[in-house]
Amino acid sequence: MTARIGVVTFPGSLDDRDTQRAIRVAGAEPVALWHKDKDLKQVDAVVLCGGFSYGDYLRAGAIARFSPVMDTVIDQAKAGLPVLGICNGFQILTEAHLLPGGMLGNDHLHFICRDQKLRVENADTAWTGDYTAGQEIHIPLKNMDGRYVADRRTLDELEAEGRVAFRYLDVNPNGSLNDIAGITNAAGNVVGLMPHPEHAVEPLIGTGRTDGLPFFTSILKKLVNA
């Protein structure tokens, strides 16, 4: 039986089709989910894709967090459903309190688009099992509000519990505290990151590498072996 991974489209989503393609390349079945629908169509996992949901009005991800689909995503994520938030999806996960901390505007106040070097810090989540801890990868990055912030207690907990999933290397592109590029919840089923792995699954696009593909093969193996 083929694993079915839902991709939620909000008004302003840009990367839903790219994410669906990445899922297909990995060998799973992508399922389009609309933000107004509470029904997740019995998917095995969910991806909140990148873009500018609701134009980033009010605050990036703040309005999307109240879309009807998120009520179901929040409930099922708390029950163990694997959820990945990419860029705007990461912002939505923090606004929904599925992940701690928040996202502010880049410290240089400019939109950034670049290939970004990362270090994998946690290879034990549902979405990172095909990486190894300490592995260095290159993933495209594009954001305006990518600066991860949290209070000192939260940062200390993330570090102590090994919940920093990815860290920026060589350059911190947006001023994120502790060079954090992505984090996980305590259970390891919810992961958020600012870079875009869906743009690095085929050698002809993105970085010219396939460093992002393990996100999608990881969850596929996790679901098949569950």
Side-chain angles (χ1 to χ4, degrees):
M1 183 176 178
T2 302
R4 303 173 74 248
I5 302 177
V7 179
V8 179
T9 298
F10 299 92
S13 294
L14 300 178
D15 299 305
D16 44 353
R17 297 296 181 88
D18 300 68
T19 305
Q20 290 174 26
R21 178 170 178 79
I23 291 168
R24 193 175 293 111
V25 169
E29 177 188 351
V31 177
L33 300 174
W34 184 235
H35 73 110
K36 286 188 176 182
D37 298 328
K38 288 193 173 184
D39 181 11
L40 297 186
K41 302 180 181 178
Q42 298 181 318
V43 296
D44 303 299
V46 167
V47 180
L48 305 180
C49 65
F52 301 90
S53 60
Y54 295 91
D56 282 351
Y57 292 117
L58 180 61
R59 189 172 60 248
I63 301 176
R65 174 262 177 273
F66 292 101
S67 290
V69 72
M70 287 304 299
D71 290 336
T72 310
V73 170
I74 290 169
D75 288 343
Q76 294 200 21
K78 291 179 178 178
L81 180 75
V83 178
L84 174 66
I86 301 171
C87 195
N88 188 227
F90 185 13
Q91 296 161 344
I92 295 169
L93 289 177
T94 62
E95 292 288 341
H97 303 298
L98 286 174
L99 291 174
M103 313 300 299
L104 297 179
N106 299 340
D107 60 352
H108 45 71
L109 303 181
H110 294 287
F111 180 85
I112 189 168
C113 183
R114 55 170 290 148
D115 291 341
Q116 179 64 47
K117 189 176 181 180
L118 306 175
R119 182 171 62 239
V120 180
E121 302 283 23
N122 185 331
D124 295 324
T125 78
W127 299 92
T128 59
D130 268 359
Y131 293 110
T132 57
Q135 183 177 350
E136 297 181 2
I137 60 177
H138 293 79
I139 303 290
L141 175 73
K142 52 178 185 176
N143 65 72
M144 181 68 189
D145 298 286
R147 177 162 51 113
Y148 180 77
V149 296
D151 59 59
R152 177 48 56 187
R153 178 180 178 181
T154 299
L155 290 172
D156 289 345
E157 288 179 352
L158 290 172
E159 298 287 359
E161 297 173 6
R163 291 170 53 197
V164 175
F166 298 91
R167 212 180 300 270
Y168 297 117
L169 287 183
D170 294 345
V171 62
N172 185 324
N174 45 36
S176 292
L177 297 180
N178 291 22
D179 298 326
I180 290 174
I183 60 174
T184 179
N185 67 342
N189 64 303
V190 179
V191 172
L193 79 161
M194 286 309 296
H196 286 258
E198 77 280 11
H199 295 330
V201 299
E202 297 176 291
L204 293 180
I205 61 172
T207 61
R209 303 160 62 129
T210 58
D211 290 2
L213 188 58
F215 275 90
F216 306 100
T217 57
S218 293
I219 189 59
L220 178 58
K221 291 179 181 178
K222 176 74 172 179
L223 294 171
V224 169
N225 295 324

